[in-house]
Amino acid sequence: MKLTVWTYEGPPHVGAMRVATGMKGLHYVLHAPQGDTYADLLFTMIERRDHRPPVTYTTFQARDLGSDTANLFKTACQEAVDRFQPQAIIVGSSCTAELIQDDPGGMAETMDFDIPVIPLELPSYSRKENFGADETFFQIVKSLAKPQARTERVTCNILGGTALGFRHRDDIQEITALLYDLGIEVNVAAPLDATPADIARMPAAHLNVLLYPETGEMAARWLEKNHDQPFTKVIPLGVGATRDFIAEVGQIIGRELQADESRLRLPWWSASVDSTYLTGKRVFLFGDGSHVMAMARVARDEMGFEIAGMGCFNREMARPMRAMAKEYGVEALITDDYLEVEQTIEALSPEMIMGTQMERHIGKRLGIPCAVISAPVHVQDFPARYSPVMGFEGANVLFDTLVHPLVMGLEEHLLTMFRDDFEFHDAAGPSHHGGHSPQPVEADPAPAPTGTDVMVWLADAEKELKKVPFFVRGKARRNTETYATEQGLSQISIDVLYEAKAHYAR
Amino acid sequence: MNVPLPPQSGGCRTAPVLKERGQREVFCGLTGIIWLHRKMQDAFFLVVGSRTCAHLLQSAAGVMIFAEPRFGTAILEETDLAGMADAQQEIDREVARLLERRPDIRQLFLVGSCPSEVIKIDLQKAAERLSQTHAPHVRVLNYSGSGIETTFTEGEDACLASMVPVLPETEARELLVVGALPDVVEDQMLGLLGAMGIDNVRCLPARRIDSETAVGPNTQFILAQPFLGETHAALVRRGAHHIAAPFPFGDEGTTAWLQAIATEFGVSPATFATVTDAPRARARKAIAQAAEHLGGKSVFFFPDSQLEIPLARFLTRECGMTAIEVGSPYIHDTIHGPDLDLLPAGPQISEGQDVELQLDRVRAARPDLTVCGLGLANPLEAEGLATKWAIELVFTPVHFYEQAGDLAGLFSRPIRRKGLLKMEAAE
Ligand code: SF4
């Protein structure tokens, strides 16, 4: 047993639901108790879907156990097929049904439907949501994809988009347009918006573009092996990565590709003088492995931030994450324990967090701004406007996303100059956040000195520290304390404060 | 006259009930933890369950306000299922760790889930043992919030019922108000009762374990929530006497509820009027404002919280709506009878659910307002039906006079909004 308060991933059948809900013409018959129907609200409320997820829950009760849960499943299955007329069904168990061992897959197969029945084995007590989506998509592809000739023109499939994914809708549109510009048409994008009939056509493409390894890699590998379709490894997130991605696609199809970069604005926005103030902002990244790794590159190489720490909640990505973290000179945090992430952030006290909705809550508590870059996300992270994070427009969106939580350059300058002014005083916060700006917390992120290495701030040094604008005060305190510790000091005077400032000057 | 009169055309108590058994679209009883842990300020709810249970709690809570909330899930892993780990020992270990970290916890609920019930983890045994280990500082109880046994609000029922046997015994003639109410609402109620001279009032659940809620043969209890069937039975077993009444929603419901208590405790009509006249008038005025948008409109209830029958009574009698179907997951005559008596005959009363058939009915009826769960609300809106999500009715203060206007407002807002939005070109 493991005590959990908040989780980054749901159970694996929720992953299967993300695939089913993303697709059209597919139905999921899930052997599960009534309470598991809560999962519908993830799609209808958080993602604002205007249709019910195509899921029939058997909703067995205690009195059915031991008597007739199997029949209940068969009835539910038959009624779902009759009512919804799907092109194919997937069937499986939730955590509770897994324990009663009714074998939904076996039962459905004996029912002689004239549509494909795809059984799912999703171990609820050892795996999680991303695995569930990855495995489900893989099983669907494996059952439905048919051997066939390649299309005449060069085409590709786009793999991994699901319902409830972080910006999947817009990323797929952006990358589809980018590929079109490069003369490559999209054969099928799946699972998001694909039908079972589309899945059958997938082997006609010349290559696969894998945008979301968390939810599409198993299918990509199977298609590579069985249908001889190579797949892309670079995720086109950020300017450099998008250029690398274009080069990789070119290599696969054996043609030099030249993309139209006329709409790309991030490089100039980042080079322009107002952005000088972004230099060396310490950021902490956490989320799913793929997004964090891609975003770390953007943060360091395209925004000029300093990476204070990075990590992911999905163990499947632990190895590449550790390797990349090492290269970036930090230690990777691989955990799905929310409290551990919070402790790490508190200890590192970065100036900004790039995370999931969980880190947004951590940031709120610690008074650290947060930009959301990865699932799990909440309703406000499904914007009405077009806002991809991949491709060139995605890079533009990222610039805005990463700058918005911070105080802007010119404003930061003014704050420093007029810090005692009544309008520019500390507590005002970034002007573009209105009344809801994160209240600058007077208690700095660094907690009061405790334990063995007690560091005492002398009164005048403490007073001087107060004159430092709030958004850098936490850093100033932390740097000064680190410096003092290194110097073997136990008291901080004004002199020590300024010596530390000189020491860390960049 | 304080007691609302049954409709002339007859009520719904004897109306035929459409009983359905099919696929349901409801939460399980674990959901109750979301409001119970806010109410009982020294309690922790430890669910013994799966990742699904943890995910349900998180999704139903919607926001994560607290770094370490006073609930959590001990997630079963493969070693637990294969019998490699002794569940009882594992629970002991997790509880010991938890209580060490959270010395503020005085009551701990071990909450059963579908998986813990299917593999038959004996939480009662665990609770008894842990109670002994951690007494007197912490009291450990257990109940089931599983989806195979409980529907949504029945989780609160199971929780309160588990507390009844351990309440201290009393011989005092006291009023016990049963059902978790937001503190502000509870204080209003105590104020009203106090003004009538009824001071010996206890609440279940109490805000803290040390409060003096007790029960005995002279206890008169009244339910503040319509989903407390098990708790009702447990209190009767302890010798307490039930005061039957409609539920305190709206002016009529609140008045009838208070009147039932006043009659039992011998409050004079004059005193009753002095205390209630002013808030009643306020409630009526507030309801009238919201009712402007509700009058003449039709409403359809999906079964969700068991609040449906009392709410239908309020909407039809005080807001001028017509009920088409009133679905409730369960109907208990002792508890819902007084409200059914007052609900004007006409609507289809249904118990249980077959969600697809019910959706067919709502599409055919096209009501002006549909009260349903979060999973169905947006899909129905997309079909042009205005909806009110039922969970808000459980999370928001809606009881008694001062909230009567807010309650009507919850229903009128979706209808008003539908009227406000205009996106056509002006031409
Ligand atoms: S229905 Fe059962 S398994 Fe599902 S969340 Fe509720 S208690 Fe857990």
Side-chain angles (χ1 to χ4, degrees):
Chain A
M1 279 178 209
K2 191 169 174 250
L3 185 64
T4 306
V5 275
W6 307 114
T7 69
Y8 286 90
E9 288 183 79
H13 71 258
V14 168
M17 281 184 71
R18 287 177 53 186
V19 171
T21 307
M23 287 183 64
K24 297 182 160 69
L26 180 83
H27 201 84
Y28 184 14
V29 183
L30 179 63
H31 206 19
Q34 60 182 0
D36 291 2
T37 59
Y38 80 87
D40 282 358
L41 81 87
L42 303 172
F43 301 93
T44 63
M45 296 303 290
I46 296 178
E47 204 181 5
R48 299 181 208 255
R49 289 217 162 231
D50 59 2
H51 281 83
R52 291 168 70 208
V55 182
T56 295
Y57 305 83
T58 58
T59 62
F60 55 83
Q61 299 182 8
R63 60 176 176 218
D64 305 314
L65 294 179
S67 64
D68 224 4
T69 51
N71 251 324
L72 207 66
F73 175 83
K74 284 192 186 170
T75 317
C77 211
Q78 186 66 53
E79 283 177 4
V81 171
D82 293 345
R83 179 176 279 267
F84 299 104
Q85 310 266 317
Q87 295 173 24
I89 55 171
I90 53 178
V91 298
S93 297
S94 75
C95 53
T96 309
E98 187 179 331
L99 298 172
I100 59 178
Q101 299 181 332
D102 273 339
D103 185 21
M107 280 190 289
E109 271 164 4
T110 62
M111 289 178 71
D112 285 332
F113 292 121
D114 50 10
I115 50 168
V117 173
I118 304 163
L120 300 174
E121 298 278 348
L122 304 174
S124 307
Y125 297 90
S126 55
R127 305 308 297 264
K128 292 180 246 173
E129 179 178 332
N130 279 334
F131 168 83
D134 197 21
E135 168 73 16
T136 301
F137 181 45
F138 161 60
Q139 292 297 341
I140 292 172
V141 170
K142 196 174 126 192
S143 318
L144 302 180
K146 295 212 173 60
Q148 58 205 282
R150 294 274 191 262
T151 53
E152 235 164 82
R153 280 186 292 176
V154 178
T155 57
C156 70
N157 301 313
I158 295 183
L159 307 187
T162 63
L164 262 192
F166 178 66
R167 306 289 164 86
H168 288 194
R169 175 197 70 193
D170 297 343
D171 282 349
I172 290 170
Q173 188 178 330
E174 179 68 16
I175 297 304
T176 302
L178 174 74
L179 290 162
Y180 189 82
D181 280 350
L182 298 171
I184 301 166
E185 270 172 57
V186 172
N187 177 48
V188 174
L192 193 60
D193 291 334
T195 62
D198 293 332
I199 303 286
R201 297 192 290 112
M202 285 176 70
H206 294 232
L207 75 153
N208 287 313
V209 168
L210 176 60
L211 290 189
Y212 306 103
E214 267 79 3
T215 49
E217 186 161 349
M218 273 197 256
R221 290 193 182 284
W222 185 85
L223 286 165
E224 180 178 52
K225 196 155 166 240
N226 294 276
H227 292 274
D228 208 18
Q229 287 174 319
F231 69 92
T232 55
K233 313 290 188 298
V234 179
I235 295 167
L237 198 153
V239 179
T242 301
R243 289 173 177 157
D244 287 352
F245 167 80
I246 293 166
E248 187 186 22
V249 171
Q251 220 160 34
I252 291 175
I253 64 170
R255 194 200 303 162
E256 183 91 12
L257 298 174
Q258 196 55 49
D260 170 16
E261 293 194 359
S262 60
R263 286 180 309 120
L264 175 62
R265 285 182 281 269
L266 181 142
W268 167 242
W269 253 246
S270 202
S272 61
V273 290
D274 190 82
S275 299
T276 314
Y277 296 87
L278 302 173
T279 313
K281 290 265 183 217
R282 298 174 63 253
V283 297
F284 178 85
L285 297 100
F286 199 82
D288 72 45
S290 302
H291 278 90
V292 166
M293 289 190 284
M295 288 302 302
R297 178 174 174 187
V298 174
R300 190 186 68 175
D301 299 345
E302 298 172 19
M303 301 298 288
F305 294 155
E306 180 189 326
I307 309 293
M310 61 196 282
C312 64
F313 56 76
N314 48 340
R315 261 166 216 290
E316 293 91 341
M317 290 287 172
R319 204 189 289 182
M321 177 63 71
R322 287 213 174 89
M324 183 167 182
K326 205 168 158 204
E327 193 193 315
Y328 277 52
V330 293
E331 208 178 311
L333 175 67
I334 315 290
T335 182
D336 62 353
D337 182 346
Y338 171 82
L339 295 174
E340 204 181 330
V341 178
E342 176 161 39
Q343 280 157 14
T344 307
I345 293 177
E346 197 165 1
L348 291 171
S349 57
E351 286 156 278
M352 181 165 73
I353 308 168
M354 296 162 65
T356 71
Q357 63 152 321
M358 318 287 261
E359 282 68 44
R360 174 163 42 221
H361 287 277
I362 294 174
K364 245 188 224 161
R365 234 182 336 271
L366 301 178
I368 304 174
C370 178
V372 170
I373 57 146
S374 160
V377 289
H378 218 271
V379 64
Q380 67 266 48
D381 303 306
F382 287 97
R385 67 180 183 278
Y386 179 62
S387 42
V389 291
M390 292 188 182
F392 293 134
E393 183 58 20
N396 299 337
V397 169
L398 282 179
F399 182 89
D400 294 346
T401 306
L402 298 180
V403 166
H404 182 262
L406 298 168
V407 178
M408 282 175 291
L410 193 56
E411 188 173 25
E412 177 168 331
H413 192 64
L414 290 171
L415 266 167
T416 316
M417 279 181 7
F418 303 108
R419 64 187 156 221
D420 293 326
D421 186 277
F422 74 99
E423 273 185 335
F424 279 113
H425 66 89
D426 280 10
S431 65
H432 59 296
H433 286 169
H436 299 289
S437 61
Q439 270 303 313
V441 187
E442 193 39 55
D444 284 321
T450 47
T452 47
D453 50 347
V454 176
M455 190 62 68
V456 179
W457 282 76
L458 298 175
D460 50 351
E462 187 80 52
K463 220 171 127 197
E464 195 69 15
L465 182 68
K466 287 251 163 66
K467 296 184 189 162
V468 177
F470 71 87
F471 47 86
V472 283
R473 196 180 301 147
K475 182 165 76 171
R477 179 189 281 279
R478 202 174 142 274
N479 283 351
T480 310
E481 288 176 0
T482 313
Y483 174 78
T485 312
E486 279 167 15
Q487 301 296 313
L489 302 170
S490 61
Q491 288 193 335
I492 293 172
S493 61
I494 292 194
D495 282 342
V496 177
L497 179 69
Y498 282 109
E499 276 163 31
K501 185 167 187 277
H503 178 80
Y504 286 104
R506 294 184 275 242
Chain B
M1 186 68 220
N2 290 324
V3 183
L5 295 173
Q8 287 183 340
S9 56
C12 285
R13 196 161 185 171
T14 52
V17 175
L18 172 65
K19 297 200 185 211
E20 288 199 316
R21 247 212 88 182
Q23 288 148 45
R24 293 171 158 239
E25 176 87 20
V26 280
F27 289 134
C28 60
L30 294 185
T31 324
I33 292 171
I34 305 299
W35 62 88
L36 287 170
H37 91 282
R38 300 304 305 150
K39 181 69 198 176
M40 294 188 244
Q41 294 159 15
D42 52 7
F44 191 100
F45 293 81
L46 180 63
V47 177
V48 179
S50 64
R51 179 165 298 281
T52 318
C53 308
H55 201 231
L56 162 102
L57 283 175
Q58 171 167 334
S59 311
V63 286
M64 302 178 296
I65 310 161
F66 316 99
E68 271 201 272
R70 276 179 288 102
F71 60 81
T73 308
I75 295 186
L76 295 163
E77 292 167 325
E78 276 193 322
T79 45
D80 301 299
L81 303 179
M84 271 141 43
D86 177 354
Q88 299 288 337
Q89 278 174 18
E90 295 272 307
I91 292 171
D92 287 359
R93 190 195 60 214
E94 288 303 332
V95 167
R97 255 192 222 162
L98 173 73
L99 293 179
E100 197 186 327
R101 205 174 59 233
R102 305 289 303 265
D104 52 319
I105 301 302
R106 299 289 318 280
Q107 355 182 22
L108 174 69
F109 290 93
L110 300 178
V111 187
S113 67
C114 305
S116 78
E117 268 162 37
V118 170
I119 63 172
K120 300 199 165 52
I121 297 182
D122 190 344
L123 291 182
Q124 183 161 359
K125 192 169 116 193
E128 281 164 10
R129 183 183 60 248
L130 285 162
S131 263
Q132 283 175 359
T133 318
H134 298 282
H137 187 68
V138 185
R139 180 179 75 193
V140 186
L141 294 172
N142 74 290
Y143 72 89
S144 168
S146 82
I148 53 178
E149 304 222 289
T150 61
T151 300
F152 193 25
T153 47
E154 283 185 308
E156 176 177 333
D157 189 22
C159 174
L160 301 190
S162 78
M163 299 170 78
V164 172
V166 297
L167 290 178
E169 180 78 20
T170 178
E171 291 296 318
R173 182 169 157 80
E174 288 179 336
L175 175 67
L176 179 64
V177 179
V178 187
L181 294 171
D183 289 352
V184 43
V185 173
E186 190 175 288
D187 290 340
Q188 283 172 15
M189 169 197 75
L190 294 173
L192 287 167
L193 292 171
M196 289 181 208
I198 306 171
D199 291 317
N200 42 350
V201 186
R202 310 288 177 204
C203 295
L204 179 69
R207 294 177 203 184
R208 298 187 165 276
I209 191 172
D210 298 325
S211 72
E212 292 153 17
T213 297
V215 66
N218 295 314
T219 301
Q220 306 290 319
F221 76 91
I222 188 160
L223 303 181
Q225 299 282 18
F227 42 74
L228 300 171
E230 288 294 315
T231 311
H232 172 278
L235 285 166
V236 170
R237 279 198 293 277
R238 291 277 314 254
H241 170 250
H242 175 221
I243 303 173
F247 286 89
F249 301 114
D251 159 34
E252 281 192 344
T254 306
T255 305
W257 191 87
L258 289 170
Q259 182 62 63
I261 297 170
T263 306
E264 181 63 44
F265 283 79
V267 176
S268 74
T271 309
F272 189 86
T274 316
V275 174
T276 56
D277 279 355
R280 269 190 93 168
R282 275 200 299 274
R284 282 197 194 132
K285 203 171 145 213
I287 294 167
Q289 278 165 10
E292 256 175 55
H293 305 276
L294 296 174
K297 301 271 179 10
S298 58
V299 61
F300 188 112
F301 282 90
F302 277 67
D304 207 65
S305 59
Q306 297 186 45
L307 289 167
E308 297 82 6
I309 290 170
L311 291 177
R313 185 258 302 148
F314 167 67
L315 289 176
T316 50
R317 292 178 59 115
E318 297 185 43
C319 303
M321 296 188 86
T322 322
I324 297 173
E325 174 163 341
V326 183
S328 176
Y330 298 100
I331 299 174
H332 305 282
D333 188 66
T334 355
I335 295 174
H336 302 124
D339 281 294
L340 281 169
D341 275 336
L342 297 174
L343 178 63
Q348 173 71 63
I349 307 291
S350 62
E351 183 180 13
Q353 188 173 35
D354 185 320
V355 68
E356 303 297 349
L357 297 180
Q358 199 165 25
L359 282 167
D360 289 345
R361 293 199 296 276
V362 82
R363 286 182 183 123
R366 294 205 67 81
D368 297 306
L369 185 67
T370 305
V371 185
C372 62
L374 290 173
L376 297 175
N378 264 336
L380 289 174
E381 291 277 354
E383 293 180 32
L385 298 174
T387 60
K388 171 75 237 129
W389 356 312
I391 195 165
E392 208 176 342
L393 301 163
V394 188
F395 284 179
T396 317
V398 293
H399 290 71
F400 303 111
Y401 295 126
E402 311 302 350
Q403 281 67 238
D406 302 340
L407 177 59
L410 284 179
F411 295 102
S412 66
R413 201 166 305 124
I415 291 181
R416 262 175 53 215
R417 182 163 183 78
K418 225 171 130 83
L420 281 173
L421 299 180
K422 292 185 183 62
M423 318 252 178
E424 314 308 322
E427 279 182 67

